Amino acid sequence: MELEGRGAGGVAGRSAAGPGRSPEESALLDGWLQRGVGRGAGGGEAGACRPPVRQDPDSGPDYEALPAGATVTTHMVAGAVAGILEHCVMYPIDCVKTRMQSLQPDPAARYRNVLEALWRIIRTEGLWRPMRGLNVTATGAGPAHALYFACYEKLKKTLSDVIHPGGNSHIANGAAGCVATLLHDAAMNPAEVVKQRMQMYNSPYHRVTDCVRAVWQNEGAGAFYRSYTTQLTMNVPFQAIHFMTYEFLQEHFNPQRRYNPSSHVLSGACAGAVAAAATTPLDVCKTLLNTQESLALNSNITGHITGMASAFRTVYQVGGVTAYFRGVQARVIYQIPSTAIAWSVYEFFKYLITKRQEEWRAGK
């Protein structure tokens, strides 16, 4: 045949036109040969029929494709690291938020804004006072976020395959986040109770063990889950808003779903702010249930505030409608960097661990 024995340069350099071929057939054959040349012995006809795959060296890896094979352990490790860093970095602001949500604060603990509160706490109570209770929070955040992200990833994939096979479903993302919240809050709620009691102004507790012992002896084990239903009532809509907003912004800022840390930070920050502002009234009630604020208890005839309905009534009796939005500024300021840190750290470690696992398998 005329084509046999030609090198790659001959094929690329000359037309494939020959006797009996029309110009259209010649052009088609030229394109077929150009795509097939250089594929090597393994290319064959199947390789030649495919268009060339072009990889832009500056575009980076397809970020969303890499974690698809991530194991449950990868999700749990990445989630635990993200949760611990998120809570540790933002803990001083969380302390301020708890105090600003007090219904009838002591005159010495009335603050105009977050910065003033931090300055006064450090000046009057010591440099490390805003960090009291951090150890119990970090201890609870690790397993809570490990369970949370592992459950979220599994359910997100399962529900997306049912609702929108081969694509991304906002409904699946929101539903997966809501279900994962059940596990997260079950692990985190006792730590939240101890943390918030240690954060309050004039708290009698200096050590975590003292607080745990006092709550157990005086109020029973149920006190550690007194705010659980309110926590779920708050976090279920919070996570639904959070994940749906995050995924919506990702589609806008990062439609190719490539490894783009800046888009994760921006999307996470905006999603956290929107969800935090919308669920502040529930967070105020949760704080009241956790702290059992003594001045607020004086307005409640039962002696202990139990359940969401009781908390809502007490908040209204003590401070009116505006009391439901106490600390909203601190809550939003807390959530903006908090969710940005959580998403960026989680996605980075998920990507890094999966990449290392793939390299290890390839090297075996």
Side-chain angles (χ1 to χ4, degrees), residues 102-117:
S102 175
L103 297 179
Q104 292 183 338
D106 187 279
R110 292 177 180 172
Y111 313 111
R112 290 191 297 270
N113 54 59
V114 174
L115 290 179
E116 186 216 10

Side-chain angles (χ1 to χ4, degrees), residues 240-298:
I241 296 170
H242 172 204
F243 281 107
M244 294 176 76
T245 304
Y246 177 82
E247 294 293 344
F248 172 79
L249 292 175
Q250 278 290 285
E251 289 183 351
H252 179 72
F253 294 122
N254 189 19
Q256 301 301 320
R257 298 303 178 103
R258 296 190 180 277
Y259 182 37
N260 188 348
S262 61
S263 74
H264 292 299
V265 170
L266 182 59
S267 300
C270 293
V274 172
T279 57
T280 295
L282 293 167
D283 193 46
V284 172
C285 294
K286 182 207 76 172
T287 298
L288 177 60
L289 287 168
N290 280 343
T291 61
Q292 296 292 301
E293 190 180 349
S294 58
L295 290 175
L297 287 174
N298 294 334

Side-chain angles (χ1 to χ4, degrees), residues 63-330:
Y63 183 56
E64 292 298 322
L66 286 175
T71 63
V72 173
T73 303
T74 298
H75 295 145
M76 295 185 76
V77 172
V81 174
I84 292 172
L85 284 177
E86 168 196 352
H87 285 282
C88 288
V89 171
M90 297 305 301
Y91 193 82
I93 305 300
D94 185 59
C95 176
V96 170
K97 175 186 73 70
T98 297
R99 292 197 180 193
M100 294 183 76
Q101 288 179 337
S102 175
L103 297 179
Q104 292 183 338
D106 187 279
R110 292 177 180 172
Y111 313 111
R112 290 191 297 270
N113 54 59
V114 174
L115 290 179
E116 186 216 10
L118 270 177
W119 168 246
R120 285 176 57 186
I121 292 172
I122 293 172
R123 187 183 61 182
T124 60
E125 303 175 51
L127 177 64
W128 298 106
R129 183 62 182 89
M131 306 301 291
R132 186 182 294 178
L134 174 62
N135 52 346
V136 70
T137 299
T139 302
H145 280 75
L147 292 171
Y148 174 78
F149 278 108
C151 179
Y152 169 72
E153 292 282 4
K154 177 64 176 177
L155 287 177
K156 178 179 74 170
K157 184 179 185 306
T158 302
L159 294 175
S160 291
D161 289 343
V162 173
I163 298 173
H164 189 188
N168 179 48
S169 169
H170 292 312
I171 296 176
N173 297 329
C178 292
V179 176
T181 300
L182 297 174
L183 294 177
H184 172 276
D185 289 358
M188 195 67 186
N189 209 89
E192 283 282 317
V193 173
V194 176
K195 175 199 75 173
Q196 291 196 308
R197 294 197 182 208
M198 297 183 73
Q199 288 175 333
M200 293 297 288
Y201 180 74
N202 273 341
S203 172
Y205 311 111
H206 294 276
R207 294 185 301 179
V208 170
T209 53
D210 295 337
C211 184
V212 172
R213 188 181 302 111
V215 173
W216 185 283
Q217 292 175 350
N218 299 330
E219 302 174 48
F224 293 105
Y225 283 93
R226 187 176 284 135
S227 66
Y228 183 58
T229 54
T230 300
Q231 181 96 337
L232 289 178
T233 305
M234 175 185 70
N235 278 347
V236 165
F238 177 92
Q239 297 300 348
I241 296 170
H242 172 204
F243 281 107
M244 294 176 76
T245 304
Y246 177 82
E247 294 293 344
F248 172 79
L249 292 175
Q250 278 290 285
E251 289 183 351
H252 179 72
F253 294 122
N254 189 19
Q256 301 301 320
R257 298 303 178 103
R258 296 190 180 277
Y259 182 37
N260 188 348
S262 61
S263 74
H264 292 299
V265 170
L266 182 59
S267 300
C270 293
V274 172
T279 57
T280 295
L282 293 167
D283 193 46
V284 172
C285 294
K286 182 207 76 172
T287 298
L288 177 60
L289 287 168
N290 280 343
T291 61
Q292 296 292 301
E293 190 180 349
S294 58
L295 290 175
L297 287 174
N298 294 334
S299 64
N300 189 282
I301 59 174
T302 64
H304 282 295
I305 303 172
T306 58
M308 184 178 63
S310 177
F312 262 97
R313 285 195 302 269
T314 303
V315 171
Y316 183 78
Q317 290 170 2
V318 174
V321 175
T322 57
Y324 291 114
F325 292 91
R326 286 182 181 270
V328 63
Q329 179 195 45

